[in-house]
Amino acid sequence: MGSEELEARVNASASASANENAQTYVYVGSYTDEQHPVGISLYRFNRQNGELTLVETYSDLPNASFIAVNKEKTVLYAVSETDSYEGRFGGSAAAYAIEVGTGRLSKINQQPADGSAPCYISLDATGRMVYVANYLSGDVTVFPIEAGDGLGERSQLIKHEGELGPQADRQEAPHAHSIIPSPDNRYAVSADLGLDRLVISRIDAESGDLLPHGGADVKPGAGPRHVVFNADSTYVYAINELDNTVTVLSYEADAGRMAAVQSLSTLPEDFGGVSYCADIHLAEDGRFLYASNRGHDSVAVYGVDRDSGTLSVVGWQSTRGQWPRNFALSPQDEFLLAANQNSNSIVVFRRDAETGMLQETEQTVAVSRPVCVQFL
């Protein structure tokens, strides 16, 4: 082999490797109907320019409204936000094996949640348990993960109870909207929209069961929806759907205790329309926080004070679509992908790491009623 041919092969190999490193995969969960049966879509994502390329679709899970991937990136778990499953009350959750290198899915199994309209799913840090929040029935389902990474039969169904919030049309009952474990996996926090409360459970280290521990109230009528911890577990940020605010709470990791220290609007002062908050995420470096508004159809950008945990408004970015229910930050926070449910689109924005603001790109894809975006 001549030196020129060898050099060409080395260059081709390096180019292929660079191309591979520039690619990752994205899963999109959607609401479904008879005309639009696709619950999960798999896209290839180009980390250089933000381009999304459809790889495959899956129609075996209706209303796949929330998705989680395990730390090893080998299994995807998703809820099916329905009122019944195989003639049994409540929705369900499913597990899918992820093919290495392609991101393609193959179903492992599906289990009833025994709770109505499951809308959120997460995993504990040990990879032993899966948590599901059931919105309409106001409870949380706990599943053990079996050998082979499938879902076992539910081990717990925990009903939320307490004083209801003042908005009679939306807070007529408990409504568990999300559940996530704390970074140290000692506690789990479930945001209940109906109770205006963040319900805290202790995670039993032996069994993985959730045990009653306490909670923290937000402003009456706020309607908490999702929460996120900062990296060192000193603060929790809750997005409140009904009064369009973000609540900052101090967090004592050892005690599993939190208390509100600040509340900010997610909307500009001059906005007079109807809007409801949806999703919230922190940048990896902890300097900026993002929150989505459905109605104002934007992502609010906040600066984070590292010492006090408090927020200051940086600005807003239109999501170039309607009703951004969910969004996701790409690996290394280079891009933000907004899922515009009512205008059937995923819109890609580039993120400025210095200012935190979002910049429009030319990248957008059409997808029916997207409600969750999850990077592999």
Side-chain angles (χ1 to χ4, degrees), residues 99-138:
E99 185 177 72
V100 176
T102 71
R104 287 184 165 88
L105 303 178
S106 55
K107 184 181 277 188
I108 300 171
N109 73 337
Q110 188 169 348
Q111 292 281 12
D114 295 328
S116 182
C119 61
Y120 197 97
I121 191 165
S122 61
L123 292 86
D124 81 326
T126 68
R128 293 189 303 158
M129 314 299 288
V130 166
Y131 307 129
V132 169
N134 304 303
Y135 179 79
L136 284 181
S137 52

Side-chain angles (χ1 to χ4, degrees), residues 140-161:
V140 167
T141 306
V142 180
F143 294 102
I145 298 176
E146 298 182 326
D149 297 318
L151 294 170
E153 293 185 2
R154 71 165 174 87
S155 58
Q156 289 181 286
L157 183 65
I158 302 167
K159 297 284 186 181
H160 283 186
E161 297 178 345

Side-chain angles (χ1 to χ4, degrees), residues 198-276:
L198 305 181
V199 179
I200 304 173
S201 302
R202 182 172 65 84
I203 301 174
D204 185 274
E206 295 293 326
S207 67
D209 285 348
L210 299 183
L211 307 175
H213 183 74
D217 293 327
V218 296
K219 181 181 175 182
R225 181 183 173 97
H226 290 178
V227 302
V228 62
F229 285 83
N230 69 344
D232 59 3
S233 300
T234 51
Y235 292 96
V236 173
Y237 300 90
I239 190 163
N240 302 307
E241 176 175 337
L242 301 183
D243 74 349
N244 300 293
T245 61
V246 172
T247 300
V248 183
L249 302 102
S250 61
Y251 182 67
E252 299 175 47
D254 289 340
R257 185 165 54 230
M258 61 182 73
V261 297
Q262 185 190 29
S263 182
L264 275 78
S265 175
T266 63
L267 300 170
E269 290 183 2
D270 60 357
F271 179 75
V274 175
S275 195
Y276 302 96

